[in-house]
Amino acid sequence: MKVIQKPQLRILLYVFLLAIIVGLLPLASAAAQGIDTSGITDDQVNAIAKQLFCPVCESTPLDVCGTQACAQWRELIREKLAEGWTEDQIKDYFSNQYGDRVLAEPPARGLNWLVYVIPPLVFFAGAFFLYRGFTTWRNLADEPDGEPEPENESEVEDQDEYLARLEAELKKQK
Amino acid sequence: MEAEKQVPEPNQTPETGGPQWGRIVAWVGLLSLLGLVGLGLVRAQRGPVGVGDPAPDFVLTTYQGDQFDSQDLRGKVVVLNFWASWCKPCEQEAADLESAWRYFEPSGDVIFLGVAYTDTPTESQKYLDKFEITYPNGDDLGTRISQAYRITGVPETYIIGPDGLIAHDQIGPFMSLGQIQSAVEAALAP
């Protein structure tokens, strides 16, 4: 039977103690801030994080962003949730702290309202112009001839003369 | 009996589109939209403020609750440093900035201000403690200051002369204490 020697036992003890300390570090960090975030799940954090955007990278939602800045922001959301803040309170906090641009849905104030007004306006204007266009084309199609008849003899002669000149020019080209 | 055909008058233009006011509104709307997009593009491509430009005004509220209004600081040299706790190059210059502050502070002619860009208060405080930074620091609330200076990243430092003009702009970290000292001394020189 293999007997563990005293120095080996001491090393094992140190390793065991080190593992305990490393395991407790996150809890110690939260405790140092006076906030217990252990009850907050990643899903709860990401439900809010996906409504916010990364502060330093273009168009990346916070829940899928891998930068350290985003990790810190997600941790901030976790802390605020642990403090009992609601989703709206947290979004307002981020908006006040970092500006409206961090919100996935900017509030309809200032120039932001254009984002909400222009797309439907363009849609309805497009529908209106299409409707008018179709109506005009249908009216044209309903007319007996596509082109208006020449009104008098001189106009017919003008057209004939023009056609004759055009044909002559085309022959020259050949 | 053949229906009488209506013939337009020679000078009359046939009506082909919508009402006149509708067209005017559509054109005004379209031109306004293009104007806004153009303005946005011009603003986006202006780049950060440069040497000789008037320094944009700002108000910084520090973590201790003090307020620094740039207009009240006229006559002094202001070293405005943008940083973040998640920014590794910021760490490179942090100790030098603090040393420079300790060097210039007794004169009373120079003020150093740190602006934490898109940082969380907890991490900012850890960073300040780690580098034992004593000059005033605060959050860039609503990213108003960084937007005014049109910064492109962190770290960036703007040294504002006593006349309120940008005397030095440092995009990226300072490389040494000497570099900071000479930039500030150049701004102090009449």
Side-chain angles (χ1 to χ4, degrees), chain B residues 51-103:
Chain B
V51 173
D53 291 342
D57 289 330
F58 64 87
V59 177
L60 176 72
T61 306
T62 68
Y63 294 119
Q64 286 72 37
D66 301 322
Q67 278 205 336
F68 286 88
D69 189 328
S70 60
Q71 289 187 331
D72 299 338
L73 299 172
R74 288 283 147 82
K76 285 187 175 189
V77 167
V78 181
V79 178
L80 188 67
N81 174 246
F82 291 93
W83 61 275
S85 66
W86 43 261
C87 154
K88 287 294 164 196
C90 299
E91 297 185 357
Q92 200 179 321
E93 64 172 9
D96 287 338
L97 278 168
E98 177 58 23
S99 300
W101 164 240
R102 289 181 190 181
Y103 176 81

Short mmCIF file of all heavy atoms in Angstrom, two decimals, chain B residues 51-103:
data_model
loop_
_atom_site.label_atom_id
_atom_site.label_comp_id
_atom_site.label_asym_id
_atom_site.label_seq_id
_atom_site.Cartn_x
_atom_site.Cartn_y
_atom_site.Cartn_z
N VAL B 51 -4.86 70.64 -33.70
CA VAL B 51 -4.08 71.72 -33.10
C VAL B 51 -4.49 73.05 -33.77
O VAL B 51 -4.62 73.13 -34.99
CB VAL B 51 -2.57 71.46 -33.31
CG1 VAL B 51 -1.73 72.64 -32.85
CG2 VAL B 51 -2.17 70.20 -32.55
N GLY B 52 -4.72 74.06 -32.92
CA GLY B 52 -5.12 75.38 -33.42
C GLY B 52 -6.63 75.57 -33.43
O GLY B 52 -7.10 76.71 -33.51
N ASP B 53 -7.38 74.48 -33.34
CA ASP B 53 -8.85 74.60 -33.29
C ASP B 53 -9.27 75.09 -31.90
O ASP B 53 -8.61 74.77 -30.90
CB ASP B 53 -9.52 73.23 -33.53
CG ASP B 53 -9.34 72.75 -34.96
OD1 ASP B 53 -9.01 73.58 -35.83
OD2 ASP B 53 -9.52 71.53 -35.20
N PRO B 54 -10.39 75.82 -31.84
CA PRO B 54 -10.91 76.15 -30.50
C PRO B 54 -11.35 74.87 -29.79
O PRO B 54 -12.00 74.01 -30.40
CB PRO B 54 -12.12 77.04 -30.80
CG PRO B 54 -12.06 77.37 -32.25
CD PRO B 54 -11.22 76.34 -32.92
N ALA B 55 -10.97 74.74 -28.53
CA ALA B 55 -11.34 73.53 -27.78
C ALA B 55 -12.84 73.55 -27.49
O ALA B 55 -13.35 74.55 -26.99
CB ALA B 55 -10.56 73.49 -26.48
N PRO B 56 -13.55 72.48 -27.83
CA PRO B 56 -14.99 72.45 -27.52
C PRO B 56 -15.22 72.58 -26.01
O PRO B 56 -14.44 72.06 -25.21
CB PRO B 56 -15.42 71.07 -28.02
CG PRO B 56 -14.39 70.65 -29.01
CD PRO B 56 -13.10 71.26 -28.53
N ASP B 57 -16.29 73.30 -25.66
CA ASP B 57 -16.61 73.48 -24.24
C ASP B 57 -17.15 72.18 -23.64
O ASP B 57 -17.77 71.39 -24.35
CB ASP B 57 -17.66 74.59 -24.07
CG ASP B 57 -17.06 75.95 -24.37
OD1 ASP B 57 -15.85 76.12 -24.13
OD2 ASP B 57 -17.80 76.83 -24.85
N PHE B 58 -16.90 71.99 -22.38
CA PHE B 58 -17.42 70.79 -21.69
C PHE B 58 -17.55 71.07 -20.21
O PHE B 58 -16.96 72.02 -19.68
CB PHE B 58 -16.47 69.60 -21.91
CG PHE B 58 -15.11 69.79 -21.30
CD1 PHE B 58 -14.85 69.44 -19.98
CD2 PHE B 58 -14.06 70.32 -22.06
CE1 PHE B 58 -13.59 69.63 -19.43
CE2 PHE B 58 -12.81 70.51 -21.51
CZ PHE B 58 -12.56 70.16 -20.19
N VAL B 59 -18.36 70.24 -19.59
CA VAL B 59 -18.48 70.25 -18.12
C VAL B 59 -18.24 68.82 -17.67
O VAL B 59 -18.93 67.91 -18.12
CB VAL B 59 -19.87 70.75 -17.66
CG1 VAL B 59 -19.98 70.67 -16.14
CG2 VAL B 59 -20.13 72.17 -18.13
N LEU B 60 -17.26 68.63 -16.80
CA LEU B 60 -16.95 67.29 -16.30
C LEU B 60 -17.29 67.21 -14.82
O LEU B 60 -16.83 68.03 -14.03
CB LEU B 60 -15.45 66.99 -16.51
CG LEU B 60 -14.98 65.64 -15.95
CD1 LEU B 60 -15.49 64.48 -16.79
CD2 LEU B 60 -13.45 65.58 -15.88
N THR B 61 -18.12 66.24 -14.48
CA THR B 61 -18.42 65.98 -13.07
C THR B 61 -17.55 64.82 -12.62
O THR B 61 -17.61 63.74 -13.20
CB THR B 61 -19.92 65.63 -12.89
OG1 THR B 61 -20.69 66.67 -13.48
CG2 THR B 61 -20.27 65.49 -11.42
N THR B 62 -16.74 65.07 -11.61
CA THR B 62 -15.78 64.05 -11.18
C THR B 62 -16.45 63.01 -10.28
O THR B 62 -17.58 63.21 -9.83
CB THR B 62 -14.60 64.68 -10.42
OG1 THR B 62 -15.12 65.18 -9.18
CG2 THR B 62 -13.97 65.80 -11.21
N TYR B 63 -15.73 61.93 -10.01
CA TYR B 63 -16.26 60.88 -9.13
C TYR B 63 -16.44 61.39 -7.70
O TYR B 63 -17.16 60.81 -6.92
CB TYR B 63 -15.34 59.66 -9.15
CG TYR B 63 -15.31 58.97 -10.50
CD1 TYR B 63 -14.14 58.85 -11.24
CD2 TYR B 63 -16.48 58.46 -11.06
CE1 TYR B 63 -14.13 58.24 -12.49
CE2 TYR B 63 -16.49 57.86 -12.31
CZ TYR B 63 -15.30 57.75 -13.01
OH TYR B 63 -15.31 57.15 -14.25
N GLN B 64 -15.74 62.51 -7.39
CA GLN B 64 -15.91 63.08 -6.05
C GLN B 64 -17.08 64.08 -6.01
O GLN B 64 -17.39 64.65 -4.97
CB GLN B 64 -14.62 63.81 -5.63
CG GLN B 64 -13.47 62.89 -5.25
CD GLN B 64 -12.85 62.19 -6.45
OE1 GLN B 64 -12.72 62.78 -7.53
NE2 GLN B 64 -12.48 60.94 -6.28
N GLY B 65 -17.68 64.34 -7.20
CA GLY B 65 -18.83 65.24 -7.25
C GLY B 65 -18.48 66.68 -7.62
O GLY B 65 -19.37 67.53 -7.68
N ASP B 66 -17.20 66.96 -7.85
CA ASP B 66 -16.80 68.33 -8.25
C ASP B 66 -17.11 68.53 -9.73
O ASP B 66 -17.09 67.58 -10.52
CB ASP B 66 -15.30 68.54 -8.02
CG ASP B 66 -14.93 68.33 -6.56
OD1 ASP B 66 -15.73 68.72 -5.69
OD2 ASP B 66 -13.85 67.75 -6.30
N GLN B 67 -17.37 69.80 -10.10
CA GLN B 67 -17.64 70.09 -11.50
C GLN B 67 -16.54 70.98 -12.07
O GLN B 67 -16.15 71.97 -11.43
CB GLN B 67 -18.98 70.79 -11.64
CG GLN B 67 -20.16 69.82 -11.63
CD GLN B 67 -21.38 70.38 -12.35
OE1 GLN B 67 -21.52 71.58 -12.45
NE2 GLN B 67 -22.24 69.51 -12.82
N PHE B 68 -16.08 70.63 -13.23
CA PHE B 68 -15.08 71.44 -13.93
C PHE B 68 -15.69 71.91 -15.24
O PHE B 68 -16.01 71.08 -16.11
CB PHE B 68 -13.81 70.62 -14.20
CG PHE B 68 -12.98 70.39 -12.97
CD1 PHE B 68 -13.22 69.28 -12.16
CD2 PHE B 68 -11.98 71.28 -12.61
CE1 PHE B 68 -12.47 69.06 -11.02
CE2 PHE B 68 -11.23 71.07 -11.47
CZ PHE B 68 -11.47 69.95 -10.67
N ASP B 69 -15.85 73.25 -15.34
CA ASP B 69 -16.37 73.85 -16.58
C ASP B 69 -15.18 74.39 -17.35
O ASP B 69 -14.40 75.18 -16.80
CB ASP B 69 -17.35 74.97 -16.21
CG ASP B 69 -18.09 75.49 -17.44
OD1 ASP B 69 -17.49 75.48 -18.54
OD2 ASP B 69 -19.26 75.89 -17.29
N SER B 70 -15.06 73.99 -18.60
CA SER B 70 -13.89 74.40 -19.39
C SER B 70 -13.77 75.92 -19.49
O SER B 70 -12.67 76.46 -19.56
CB SER B 70 -13.95 73.77 -20.78
OG SER B 70 -15.11 74.20 -21.45
N GLN B 71 -14.91 76.61 -19.45
CA GLN B 71 -14.85 78.08 -19.57
C GLN B 71 -14.22 78.72 -18.34
O GLN B 71 -13.61 79.78 -18.44
CB GLN B 71 -16.25 78.62 -19.80
CG GLN B 71 -16.76 78.26 -21.21
CD GLN B 71 -18.07 78.92 -21.56
OE1 GLN B 71 -18.87 79.19 -20.67
NE2 GLN B 71 -18.29 79.13 -22.83
N ASP B 72 -14.38 78.06 -17.19
CA ASP B 72 -13.77 78.59 -15.96
C ASP B 72 -12.27 78.30 -15.90
O ASP B 72 -11.58 78.81 -15.03
CB ASP B 72 -14.43 77.95 -14.71
CG ASP B 72 -15.91 78.26 -14.65
OD1 ASP B 72 -16.33 79.26 -15.26
OD2 ASP B 72 -16.66 77.49 -14.00
N LEU B 73 -11.81 77.45 -16.80
CA LEU B 73 -10.39 77.05 -16.78
C LEU B 73 -9.54 77.85 -17.75
O LEU B 73 -8.36 77.56 -17.92
CB LEU B 73 -10.27 75.55 -17.09
CG LEU B 73 -10.97 74.61 -16.10
CD1 LEU B 73 -10.96 73.17 -16.60
CD2 LEU B 73 -10.30 74.67 -14.72
N ARG B 74 -10.15 78.86 -18.40
CA ARG B 74 -9.38 79.70 -19.33
C ARG B 74 -8.24 80.38 -18.56
O ARG B 74 -8.44 80.83 -17.43
CB ARG B 74 -10.27 80.77 -19.97
CG ARG B 74 -11.25 80.22 -20.99
CD ARG B 74 -10.57 79.90 -22.32
NE ARG B 74 -11.21 78.75 -22.98
CZ ARG B 74 -12.32 78.82 -23.71
NH1 ARG B 74 -12.90 79.97 -23.91
NH2 ARG B 74 -12.83 77.75 -24.27
N GLY B 75 -7.09 80.45 -19.18
CA GLY B 75 -5.93 81.03 -18.50
C GLY B 75 -5.01 79.93 -17.96
O GLY B 75 -3.87 80.20 -17.59
N LYS B 76 -5.54 78.70 -17.90
CA LYS B 76 -4.73 77.56 -17.46
C LYS B 76 -4.53 76.61 -18.64
O LYS B 76 -5.32 76.62 -19.58
CB LYS B 76 -5.44 76.78 -16.35
CG LYS B 76 -5.44 77.46 -15.00
CD LYS B 76 -6.01 76.53 -13.96
CE LYS B 76 -5.89 77.16 -12.59
NZ LYS B 76 -6.23 76.25 -11.52
N VAL B 77 -3.51 75.80 -18.51
CA VAL B 77 -3.35 74.72 -19.49
C VAL B 77 -4.14 73.52 -18.98
O VAL B 77 -4.02 73.14 -17.82
CB VAL B 77 -1.85 74.36 -19.66
CG1 VAL B 77 -1.70 73.05 -20.42
CG2 VAL B 77 -1.12 75.47 -20.39
N VAL B 78 -4.98 72.98 -19.85
CA VAL B 78 -5.81 71.82 -19.46
C VAL B 78 -5.33 70.60 -20.23
O VAL B 78 -5.25 70.62 -21.47
CB VAL B 78 -7.30 72.09 -19.76
CG1 VAL B 78 -8.16 70.88 -19.33
CG2 VAL B 78 -7.79 73.34 -19.07
N VAL B 79 -5.00 69.56 -19.50
CA VAL B 79 -4.64 68.28 -20.14
C VAL B 79 -5.85 67.37 -20.00
O VAL B 79 -6.18 66.92 -18.90
CB VAL B 79 -3.39 67.66 -19.46
CG1 VAL B 79 -3.06 66.31 -20.10
CG2 VAL B 79 -2.21 68.59 -19.55
N LEU B 80 -6.54 67.17 -21.12
CA LEU B 80 -7.78 66.40 -21.11
C LEU B 80 -7.51 65.02 -21.69
O LEU B 80 -7.25 64.87 -22.89
CB LEU B 80 -8.83 67.14 -21.96
CG LEU B 80 -10.25 66.60 -21.93
CD1 LEU B 80 -10.88 66.79 -20.56
CD2 LEU B 80 -11.11 67.31 -22.98
N ASN B 81 -7.54 64.02 -20.82
CA ASN B 81 -7.18 62.66 -21.23
C ASN B 81 -8.42 61.75 -21.26
O ASN B 81 -9.14 61.65 -20.28
CB ASN B 81 -6.14 62.10 -20.24
CG ASN B 81 -5.81 60.63 -20.49
OD1 ASN B 81 -6.11 59.77 -19.68
ND2 ASN B 81 -5.22 60.34 -21.62
N PHE B 82 -8.67 61.15 -22.42
CA PHE B 82 -9.77 60.18 -22.56
C PHE B 82 -9.18 58.78 -22.36
O PHE B 82 -8.20 58.41 -23.02
CB PHE B 82 -10.40 60.28 -23.95
CG PHE B 82 -11.16 61.56 -24.18
CD1 PHE B 82 -10.53 62.66 -24.75
CD2 PHE B 82 -12.49 61.69 -23.82
CE1 PHE B 82 -11.21 63.86 -24.95
CE2 PHE B 82 -13.18 62.87 -24.03
CZ PHE B 82 -12.54 63.95 -24.60
N TRP B 83 -9.80 58.00 -21.50
CA TRP B 83 -9.29 56.66 -21.19
C TRP B 83 -10.46 55.72 -20.88
O TRP B 83 -11.61 56.14 -20.79
CB TRP B 83 -8.34 56.72 -19.99
CG TRP B 83 -9.00 57.22 -18.73
CD1 TRP B 83 -9.16 58.53 -18.36
CD2 TRP B 83 -9.61 56.43 -17.70
NE1 TRP B 83 -9.83 58.60 -17.17
CE2 TRP B 83 -10.12 57.33 -16.74
CE3 TRP B 83 -9.77 55.07 -17.49
CZ2 TRP B 83 -10.79 56.90 -15.58
CZ3 TRP B 83 -10.43 54.64 -16.33
CH2 TRP B 83 -10.92 55.55 -15.40
N ALA B 84 -10.14 54.46 -20.72
CA ALA B 84 -11.13 53.47 -20.29
C ALA B 84 -10.40 52.33 -19.59
O ALA B 84 -9.25 52.03 -19.93
CB ALA B 84 -11.90 52.92 -21.49
N SER B 85 -11.07 51.71 -18.65
CA SER B 85 -10.42 50.63 -17.88
C SER B 85 -10.18 49.39 -18.75
O SER B 85 -9.30 48.60 -18.46
CB SER B 85 -11.28 50.26 -16.68
OG SER B 85 -12.50 49.70 -17.12
N TRP B 86 -10.97 49.24 -19.83
CA TRP B 86 -10.80 48.08 -20.71
C TRP B 86 -9.74 48.32 -21.78
O TRP B 86 -9.50 47.44 -22.61
CB TRP B 86 -12.14 47.71 -21.37
CG TRP B 86 -12.94 48.88 -21.87
CD1 TRP B 86 -13.99 49.47 -21.23
CD2 TRP B 86 -12.75 49.61 -23.08
NE1 TRP B 86 -14.49 50.52 -21.97
CE2 TRP B 86 -13.74 50.63 -23.11
CE3 TRP B 86 -11.85 49.53 -24.15
CZ2 TRP B 86 -13.85 51.54 -24.17
CZ3 TRP B 86 -11.96 50.45 -25.20
CH2 TRP B 86 -12.94 51.43 -25.19
N CYS B 87 -9.12 49.49 -21.75
CA CYS B 87 -8.18 49.88 -22.81
C CYS B 87 -6.75 49.62 -22.34
O CYS B 87 -6.25 50.25 -21.41
CB CYS B 87 -8.41 51.34 -23.14
SG CYS B 87 -7.02 52.22 -23.81
N LYS B 88 -6.09 48.64 -22.97
CA LYS B 88 -4.72 48.28 -22.57
C LYS B 88 -3.71 49.40 -22.85
O LYS B 88 -2.87 49.68 -22.01
CB LYS B 88 -4.30 46.98 -23.28
CG LYS B 88 -4.99 45.75 -22.72
CD LYS B 88 -4.57 45.47 -21.29
CE LYS B 88 -5.55 44.50 -20.61
NZ LYS B 88 -5.41 44.50 -19.16
N PRO B 89 -3.74 50.06 -24.02
CA PRO B 89 -2.78 51.15 -24.25
C PRO B 89 -2.91 52.29 -23.23
O PRO B 89 -1.95 53.01 -22.98
CB PRO B 89 -3.11 51.65 -25.66
CG PRO B 89 -3.81 50.51 -26.31
CD PRO B 89 -4.56 49.82 -25.23
N CYS B 90 -4.12 52.43 -22.64
CA CYS B 90 -4.30 53.49 -21.63
C CYS B 90 -3.41 53.21 -20.41
O CYS B 90 -2.89 54.13 -19.78
CB CYS B 90 -5.76 53.58 -21.18
SG CYS B 90 -6.90 53.99 -22.51
N GLU B 91 -3.27 51.93 -20.10
CA GLU B 91 -2.45 51.54 -18.95
C GLU B 91 -0.99 51.93 -19.15
O GLU B 91 -0.27 52.22 -18.21
CB GLU B 91 -2.56 50.03 -18.70
CG GLU B 91 -3.97 49.60 -18.35
CD GLU B 91 -4.07 48.13 -17.99
OE1 GLU B 91 -3.04 47.43 -18.07
OE2 GLU B 91 -5.18 47.68 -17.62
N GLN B 92 -0.60 51.93 -20.43
CA GLN B 92 0.79 52.23 -20.79
C GLN B 92 1.19 53.65 -20.37
O GLN B 92 2.32 53.90 -20.01
CB GLN B 92 0.89 52.10 -22.32
CG GLN B 92 2.26 51.92 -22.87
CD GLN B 92 2.19 51.76 -24.38
OE1 GLN B 92 1.29 51.10 -24.92
NE2 GLN B 92 3.14 52.37 -25.06
N GLU B 93 0.22 54.59 -20.44
CA GLU B 93 0.55 55.99 -20.15
C GLU B 93 0.05 56.45 -18.78
O GLU B 93 0.34 57.58 -18.37
CB GLU B 93 -0.04 56.90 -21.23
CG GLU B 93 -1.55 56.86 -21.26
CD GLU B 93 -2.19 57.88 -22.19
OE1 GLU B 93 -1.47 58.54 -22.97
OE2 GLU B 93 -3.42 58.01 -22.13
N ALA B 94 -0.72 55.59 -18.10
CA ALA B 94 -1.38 56.01 -16.86
C ALA B 94 -0.39 56.52 -15.81
O ALA B 94 -0.58 57.59 -15.22
CB ALA B 94 -2.22 54.86 -16.30
N ALA B 95 0.67 55.75 -15.59
CA ALA B 95 1.64 56.14 -14.56
C ALA B 95 2.36 57.43 -14.95
O ALA B 95 2.60 58.30 -14.10
CB ALA B 95 2.64 55.01 -14.35
N ASP B 96 2.68 57.59 -16.23
CA ASP B 96 3.36 58.80 -16.70
C ASP B 96 2.47 60.04 -16.55
O ASP B 96 2.94 61.12 -16.19
CB ASP B 96 3.79 58.64 -18.17
CG ASP B 96 4.95 57.68 -18.32
OD1 ASP B 96 5.68 57.47 -17.32
OD2 ASP B 96 5.14 57.13 -19.43
N LEU B 97 1.20 59.86 -16.84
CA LEU B 97 0.27 60.99 -16.69
C LEU B 97 0.21 61.43 -15.22
O LEU B 97 0.21 62.63 -14.92
CB LEU B 97 -1.13 60.61 -17.19
CG LEU B 97 -1.36 60.70 -18.70
CD1 LEU B 97 -2.66 60.01 -19.09
CD2 LEU B 97 -1.37 62.15 -19.18
N GLU B 98 0.14 60.45 -14.32
CA GLU B 98 0.08 60.78 -12.90
C GLU B 98 1.38 61.48 -12.46
O GLU B 98 1.32 62.47 -11.73
CB GLU B 98 -0.15 59.49 -12.07
CG GLU B 98 -0.15 59.68 -10.58
CD GLU B 98 -1.19 60.66 -10.05
OE1 GLU B 98 -2.20 60.89 -10.74
OE2 GLU B 98 -0.98 61.22 -8.96
N SER B 99 2.52 60.99 -12.95
CA SER B 99 3.80 61.63 -12.60
C SER B 99 3.84 63.06 -13.12
O SER B 99 4.31 63.98 -12.43
CB SER B 99 4.97 60.85 -13.20
OG SER B 99 4.96 59.55 -12.70
N ALA B 100 3.35 63.25 -14.35
CA ALA B 100 3.34 64.59 -14.94
C ALA B 100 2.44 65.52 -14.13
O ALA B 100 2.78 66.69 -13.90
CB ALA B 100 2.86 64.51 -16.39
N TRP B 101 1.30 65.00 -13.69
CA TRP B 101 0.38 65.80 -12.86
C TRP B 101 1.07 66.23 -11.56
O TRP B 101 0.99 67.38 -11.15
CB TRP B 101 -0.87 64.98 -12.59
CG TRP B 101 -1.73 65.49 -11.46
CD1 TRP B 101 -2.06 64.83 -10.32
CD2 TRP B 101 -2.39 66.76 -11.38
NE1 TRP B 101 -2.88 65.61 -9.53
CE2 TRP B 101 -3.09 66.80 -10.16
CE3 TRP B 101 -2.43 67.88 -12.20
CZ2 TRP B 101 -3.84 67.90 -9.74
CZ3 TRP B 101 -3.17 68.99 -11.79
CH2 TRP B 101 -3.88 68.99 -10.58
N ARG B 102 1.76 65.30 -10.94
CA ARG B 102 2.44 65.62 -9.68
C ARG B 102 3.56 66.64 -9.92
O ARG B 102 3.87 67.44 -9.05
CB ARG B 102 3.00 64.36 -9.04
CG ARG B 102 1.86 63.51 -8.49
CD ARG B 102 2.32 62.26 -7.80
NE ARG B 102 1.18 61.38 -7.52
CZ ARG B 102 1.25 60.23 -6.90
NH1 ARG B 102 2.42 59.78 -6.49
NH2 ARG B 102 0.18 59.50 -6.69
N TYR B 103 4.13 66.63 -11.11
CA TYR B 103 5.20 67.56 -11.46
C TYR B 103 4.64 68.97 -11.67
O TYR B 103 5.22 69.96 -11.23
CB TYR B 103 5.90 67.05 -12.73
CG TYR B 103 6.97 67.95 -13.28
CD1 TYR B 103 8.25 67.96 -12.74
CD2 TYR B 103 6.71 68.79 -14.36
CE1 TYR B 103 9.23 68.79 -13.25
CE2 TYR B 103 7.68 69.62 -14.89
CZ TYR B 103 8.94 69.62 -14.33
OH TYR B 103 9.91 70.44 -14.83
#
